[in-house]
Amino acid sequence: QVQLVESGGGLVQPGGSLRLSCAASVRFFSTYAVGWGRQVPGQQRELVATGTNGGSTDYADSVKGRFTISRDNAKNTVYLQMNSLKPEDTAVYYCNLGGLRGHWGQGTQVTVSS
């Protein structure tokens, strides 16, 4: 059974940074595509950052240039470095393994506010 556990969320001022981590309990982690999604109440969850097992990455326009997804296959861990945070980045952030029809973590709250 796949288990994804996110950490690193919290309250940060506009312009600040946070680093989210996601520890995956799964075999052959390196073969999976990974990603981070976010959701605010009343809206659909959106994928904001994705990474293939080959190392390619892609980002939603809303976070491009500010967020960076990375992975450490030796630790079965995915990261999301978030810089220059804006109030509109406030959401619950979810780790993803295997694409939209794959596996999701339980989420971690990120609040950007002064």
Side-chain angles (χ1 to χ4, degrees), residues 19 22 29-30 34 70-79:
R19 188 195 197 201
C22 172
F29 171 80
S30 64
V34 296
S70 61
R71 64 194 298 166
D72 185 336
N73 290 332
K75 297 182 178 180
N76 280 22
T77 301
V78 187
Y79 303 99

Side-chain angles (χ1 to χ4, degrees), residues 94-106:
Y94 297 88
C95 178
N96 172 265
L97 196 70
L100 288 174
R101 296 181 180 179
H103 307 279
W104 294 90
Q106 84 288 349

Side-chain angles (χ1 to χ4, degrees), residues 3-9 19-25 35-38 45 76-80 92-97 103-110:
Q3 187 174 16
L4 303 173
V5 179
E6 299 100 333
S7 61
R19 188 195 197 201
L20 305 182
S21 299
C22 172
S25 298
W36 287 93
R38 67 186 183 187
R45 188 177 303 181
N76 280 22
T77 301
V78 187
Y79 303 99
L80 185 68
V92 178
Y93 283 72
Y94 297 88
C95 178
N96 172 265
L97 196 70
H103 307 279
W104 294 90
Q106 84 288 349
T108 184
Q109 177 70 45
V110 171

